[in-house]
């Protein structure tokens, strides 16, 4: 009986002892249960990659498979196998500049933008001073990235809850000094795309609409023409996000509205003017207005000579009290004077200033800063209407990341449309000096703000970088159809973007964020499981066969040998 | 190192079965055939259960605890018990003592259950890059399930194979058997109505399994006495 009791007690002790590993495992579970995150997938947009005459610019790589790191890492730590996550809110532009200029190696760069910069995010105009600060910072960052040669992948993403949570975790770990590597766990960012390839022959598409004037009996071919031109494509740091609401979505919308108004006027033979109207939506704007040049060269010589003057629209969406006319012919030229006086009188009537800026063309310099310069090089009088006071640099002011819908003011566009329409009408119908308002509000020829708003919203959600627009892109078809509604003849011209610019594809990808456990964790788990199984084994042997059997498993049987001997 | 994680979870899920077989006298008496037969019976039972579930159960979209559906599921769960009865009582085994018979049947049953329910998710899921605790918890659940099945087999052998039992113990035996047989319903009730998460449920299962094992061990030894 005593033996039975002892064995029972031992049995109970063994039961409790065998519970220890279970309890330990459960404690680990409870402590680490917050690690139960699922993988997240985020849309990311790559920095542009391009060459100018063989010189590489932008980010040269696209695939990514590294651990995440944040700015709180220890100075001097090796980041060549980590992806640095930089939220725009905490960006230190000097740090990025140093990193790029010193050519330090980095696994990758992920820049998190606030949600207000997402195309299609129409509201969010509050906190405008904070947003202005972000816009300036973003513009500086873009300049740095677009003009640099970056040997690691750079991606833009928009902040959301999952990225915020991940970033907070990564910062906490970095602050503790644990660099995330294969042995210490952390987050792994994986973007698996193929290597970027050159875009074989990028096309630029020009769309022109022709609205003929009323012929006096006979000589119709000698009717003079007025051209209204706007370039519709963009260029920015992230091609999949370059929606260019102001540069040049505002110009496109203004052109479409002017075309609509004049099509109403010209539909009635009694109000058809003695001028032809030529509307052109050109591409290749950021690349020295190559599309405009090719379009002009493709025009019939007689047609080109019949152009009285051309008005180019560039960024007319966010001005307040002054709009500028840029010319390349000297201001005391008779034509220029006439044009300028017409515009400035109308402007005064409408309540704002119109200024004149003159910039000489330097024939030896291939840089074409304004669209009208392409006209001037072919001896056509032209001027650009714009809110910008200085000529934009190459690949700037052509649809950057910060150029979103909130930057554009519909009233500015409406004022600009009124300006252009009234000035053209005064010239066409010969009302200079008279106080006649053709496109008055509340008339049937009033500027339609809903039309402006709907096209502006559409353009603000459509990235329009020319090499990535196919010949029959839905946007091009839509613009063509719109011009077909308002003009008599529409023709679409496809050209290839030649010469110095080469582009690479792969602009959008999906980022997978994995939470990984370190190798040490796996080893620890193996150890725990091994000990658990051993304990289980011993427990079972002891309870079913007795303790002696367990001991005999480990001891070689020398006693038997002795017995046999 | 995610194949490593898969290996870890696999030994947690299937290791105890192998350890149980080798540690207890089952290996000495070569009861492998019994275990395999029990596994086959489990397979047949699972198929029958699937057919019944598909025929009689309505799939609800939300995770709502419907008492009628749960009662139906519990009744279908008793097919399990019937299968176990068949494996214990009806199949002819070689001369093995009752003590070892229920252990072998329980072991084969639990192993087949683990393989069918847990191998595929483990293979597909644990090898990925993302780390979750799910598979470790699943392995712990497999352990609890092993203990439950052996207890149920013990109680089953007491109910059906042992003729002379002390009268006072019979209701206890039956209640314990019913509790173990309805464990799936209990866990689903906890998950849906009480909103417990997986770790809590696994902990509860482990504790209950140990308690049940202890109780059935005691019952077994108590019933052992008259024959001694």
């Amino acid at each position: 009986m005593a033996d039975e009791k002892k064995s029972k007690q031992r049995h109970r002790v063994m039961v409790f002892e065998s519970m220890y590993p279970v309890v330990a495992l459960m404690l680990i579970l409870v402590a680490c249960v917050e690690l139960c995150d699922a993988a997240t997938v985020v849309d990311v947009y790559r920095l542009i990659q391009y060459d100018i005459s063989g010189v590489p610019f932008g980010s040269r790589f696209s695939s990514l498979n590294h651990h995440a790191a944040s700015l709180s890492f220890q100075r001097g730590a090796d980041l060549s196998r980590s992806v640095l996550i930089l939220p725009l809110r905490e960006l230190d532009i000097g740090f990025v500049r140093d990193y790029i200029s010193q050519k330090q190696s980095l696994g990758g760069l992920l820049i998190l933008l606030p949600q207000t910069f997402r195309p299609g995010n129409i509201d969010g105009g509050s906190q405008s001073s904070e947003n202005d600060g972000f816009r300036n910072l973003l513009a500086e960052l873009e300049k740095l990235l677009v003009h640099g040669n970056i040997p690691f992948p750079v991606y833009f993403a928009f902040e959301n809850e999952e990225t915020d949570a991940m970033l907070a975790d990564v910062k906490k770990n970095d602050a503790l000094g644990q660099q995330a590597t294969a042995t210490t766990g952390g987050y792994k960012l994986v973007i698996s795309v193929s290597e970027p390839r050159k875009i074989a022959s990028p096309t630029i598409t020009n769309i022109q609409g022709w609205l003929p004037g009323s012929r006096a009996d006979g000589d119709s071919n000698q009717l003079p023409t007025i051209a209204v031109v706007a370039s519709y494509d963009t260029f920015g740091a992230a091609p999949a996000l370059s929606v260019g609401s102001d540069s040049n979505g505002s110009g496109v919308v203004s052109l479409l509205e002017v075309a609509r108004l004049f099509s109403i006027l010209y539909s009635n033979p009694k109000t058809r003017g003695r001028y032809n109207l030529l509307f052109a939506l050109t591409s290749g704007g950021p690349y020295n207005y190559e599309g405009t040049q090719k379009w002009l060269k493709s025009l019939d010589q007689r047609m080109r000579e019949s152009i009285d003057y051309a008005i180019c629209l560039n960024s007319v969406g966010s001005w307040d009290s002054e709009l500028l006319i840029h010319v390349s012919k000297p201001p005391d030229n008779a034509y220029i004077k006439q044009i300028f006086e017409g515009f400035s009188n109308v402007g005064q009537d409408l309540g704002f200033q119109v200024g004149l800026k003159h910039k000489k063309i330097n024939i030896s310099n291939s840089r074409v800063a304004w669209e009208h310069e392409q006209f001037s090089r072919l001896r056509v009088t032209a001027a650009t209407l714009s809110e910008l006071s200085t000529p934009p640099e190459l690949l700037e002011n052509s649809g950057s990341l910060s150029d979103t819908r909130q930057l554009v003011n519909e009233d500015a566009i409406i004022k600009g449309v009124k300006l252009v329409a009234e000035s053209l009408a005064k010239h066409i119908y010969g009302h200079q000096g008279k106080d006649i308002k053709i496109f008055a509000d509340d008339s049937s020829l009033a500027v339609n703000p809903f039309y402006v708003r709907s096209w502006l919203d559409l353009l603000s959600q459509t990235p329009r970088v020319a090499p990535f627009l196919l010949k029959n892109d839905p946007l091009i078809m839509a613009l063509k159809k719109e011009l077909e509604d308002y003009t008599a003849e529409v023709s679409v011209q496809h050209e290839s973007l030649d010469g110095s610019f080469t582009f690479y594809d792969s602009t959008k990808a999906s980022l997978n964020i994995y939470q990984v456990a370190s190798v040490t964790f796996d080893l620890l788990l193996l150890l725990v499981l091994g000990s658990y199984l051993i304990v289980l084994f011993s427990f079972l042997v002891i309870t079913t066969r007795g303790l002696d059997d367990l001991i005999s498993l480990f001891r070689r049987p020398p006693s038997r040998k002795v017995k046999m001997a | 190192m995610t194949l490593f994680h898969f290996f870890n979870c696999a030994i947690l899920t299937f290791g105890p079965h192998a350890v149980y077989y080798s540690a207890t006298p089952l290996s000495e008496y070569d009861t492998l055939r019994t275990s395999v037969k029990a596994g086959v019976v489990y397979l047949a039972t699972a198929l029958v259960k699937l057919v019944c579930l598909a025929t009689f159960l309505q799939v609800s979209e939300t995770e709502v605890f419907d008492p009628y559906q749960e009662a139906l599921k519990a009744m279908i769960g008793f097919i399990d018990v019937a299968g176990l009865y068949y494996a214990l009582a009806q199949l002819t085994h070689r001369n093995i003592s009752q003590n070892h018979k229920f252990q072998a049947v329980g072991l084969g049953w639990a192993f087949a259950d683990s393989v069918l329910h847990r191998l595929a998710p483990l293979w597909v899921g644990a090898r990925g890059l993302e780390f979750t605790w799910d598979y470790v918890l699943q392995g712990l659940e497999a352990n609890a399930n092993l203990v439950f099945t052996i207890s149920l087999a013990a109680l089953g052998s007491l109910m059906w194979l042992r003729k002379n039992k002390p009268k006072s113990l019979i209701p206890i035996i039956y209640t314990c058997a019913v509790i173990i047989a309805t464990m799936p319903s209990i866990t689903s009730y906890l998950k849906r109505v009480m909103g417990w998460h997986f770790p809590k449920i696994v902990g509860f299962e482990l504790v209950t399994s140990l308690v049940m094992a202890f109780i059935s061990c005691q019952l077994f030894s108590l019933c052992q006495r008259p024959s001694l």
Side-chain angles (χ1 to χ4, degrees), chain A residues 37 514-515 522 529 532 545, chain B residues 8 22-23 28 130-131 143:
Chain A
D37 264 359
Y514 297 108
Q515 195 167 22
D522 279 333
L529 289 176
Y532 167 64
R545 294 195 247 184
Chain B
N8 281 346
S22 58
E28 283 178 17
E130 173 85 4
F131 174 76
N143 280 343

Side-chain angles (χ1 to χ4, degrees), chain A residues 56-356:
Chain A
F57 290 100
S59 152
R60 311 307 293 178
F61 293 95
S62 62
S63 60
L64 197 68
N65 188 343
H66 291 301
H67 287 265
S70 72
L71 268 182
S72 347
F73 65 91
Q74 311 275 9
R75 300 285 148 178
D78 178 29
L79 289 179
S80 61
R81 316 211 91 233
S82 315
V83 177
L84 195 57
I85 306 180
L86 285 182
L88 189 69
R89 296 173 196 274
E90 303 158 12
L91 187 67
D92 176 12
I93 195 90
F95 168 77
V96 181
R97 193 176 292 134
D98 288 339
Y99 228 87
I100 295 179
S101 59
Q102 288 164 19
K103 300 220 183 295
Q104 292 190 15
S105 64
L106 187 62
L109 189 59
L110 180 68
I111 300 175
L112 292 177
L113 305 171
Q115 280 281 346
T116 53
F117 290 113
R118 187 186 269 273
N121 192 347
I122 307 225
D123 38 75
S126 57
Q127 304 159 341
S128 54
S129 64
E130 191 191 41
N131 278 348
D132 281 342
F134 287 147
R135 274 182 220 283
N136 293 337
L137 194 56
L138 194 53
E140 260 197 77
L141 179 68
E142 273 196 82
K143 222 192 217 175
L144 187 61
L145 292 174
V146 165
H147 292 293
N149 178 5
I150 302 176
F152 46 81
V154 179
Y155 281 92
F156 294 92
F158 292 103
E159 289 175 348
N160 62 13
E161 298 164 343
E162 295 151 337
T163 56
D164 285 341
M166 173 193 66
L167 189 60
D169 247 346
V170 171
K171 277 189 195 167
K172 205 166 45 159
N173 280 342
D174 279 350
L176 292 175
Q178 292 170 5
Q179 195 72 39
T181 56
T183 48
T184 52
Y187 288 87
K188 203 157 180 142
L189 305 180
V190 178
I191 299 176
S192 44
V193 282
S194 51
E195 280 309 303
R197 288 173 312 224
K198 278 189 199 179
I199 295 185
S201 40
T203 48
I204 46 180
T205 309
N206 300 319
I207 311 169
Q208 85 177 37
W210 171 257
L211 198 57
S214 80
R215 306 169 182 183
D217 325 310
D219 27 40
S220 60
N221 285 342
Q222 289 170 357
L223 268 185
T225 312
I226 299 182
V228 180
V229 188
S231 83
Y232 67 86
D233 69 328
T234 58
F235 181 90
L241 294 175
S242 287
V243 292
S245 301
D246 200 13
S247 314
N248 192 11
S250 55
V252 172
V253 171
S254 307
L255 185 146
L256 288 176
E257 180 64 3
V258 169
R260 187 186 74 88
L261 292 171
F262 274 97
S263 84
I264 301 177
L265 267 178
Y266 272 43
S267 58
N268 186 349
K270 291 193 192 145
T271 51
R272 200 175 290 164
R274 298 274 173 89
Y275 280 80
N276 299 321
L277 282 174
L278 182 59
F279 298 97
L281 287 166
T282 57
S283 179
Y287 324 115
N288 292 326
Y289 293 102
E290 202 174 314
T292 317
Q293 184 191 51
K294 295 203 161 138
W295 171 68
L296 275 175
K297 288 199 174 143
S298 78
L299 278 183
D300 199 28
Q301 170 100 6
R302 267 192 303 174
M303 162 111 71
R304 206 180 323 138
E305 282 173 3
S306 78
I307 296 182
D308 228 13
Y309 65 91
I311 298 285
C312 309
L313 301 168
N314 182 357
S315 309
V316 290
S318 61
W319 56 280
D320 212 8
S321 55
E322 190 181 14
L323 206 53
L324 295 166
I325 299 186
H326 299 264
V327 290
S328 52
K329 290 195 171 154
D332 45 358
N333 182 301
Y335 292 120
I336 302 289
K337 256 196 189 166
Q338 193 185 33
I339 298 170
F340 176 62
E341 268 171 26
F343 272 86
S344 90
N345 287 340
V346 175
Q348 262 176 3
D349 285 341
L350 291 171
F352 51 84
Q353 280 270 89
V354 178
L356 184 67

Side-chain angles (χ1 to χ4, degrees), chain A residues 8 12 19 22 25-26 28-29 32-33 35-39 513-517 519 521-523 525-526 529 532-533 536-537 540-541 544-545, chain B residues 1 4-5 7-9 11-12 15-16 19-20 22-25 27-28 129-133 136-137 140 143 199 203 206 210 214 217-218 225:
Chain A
K8 263 203 181 162
R12 288 211 183 99
M19 277 180 75
V22 174
L25 266 176
M26 282 175 68
I28 298 176
L29 275 177
C32 307
V33 80
L35 283 178
C36 282
D37 264 359
I513 305 178
Y514 297 108
Q515 195 167 22
V516 288
V519 170
F521 170 80
D522 279 333
L523 286 171
L525 192 62
L526 182 64
L529 289 176
Y532 167 64
L533 286 177
L536 187 68
F537 183 83
L540 287 172
V541 167
T544 53
R545 294 195 247 184
Chain B
M1 276 296 201
F4 201 161
H5 188 62
F7 175 72
N8 281 346
C9 294
I11 61 175
L12 178 59
V19 162
Y20 193 94
S22 58
T24 56
S27 55
E28 283 178 17
L129 204 55
E130 173 85 4
F131 174 76
T132 49
W133 285 102
V136 176
L137 293 174
L140 291 175
N143 280 343
L206 283 171
L210 289 172
F214 185 65
C217 196
Q218 294 295 71
R225 279 212 198 112

Side-chain angles (χ1 to χ4, degrees), chain A residues 383-398:
Chain A
T384 302
L385 193 65
S386 173
E387 72 205 1
L388 302 168
S389 52
T390 51
E393 299 291 327
L394 179 66
L395 300 176
E396 272 173 43
N397 274 115
S398 49

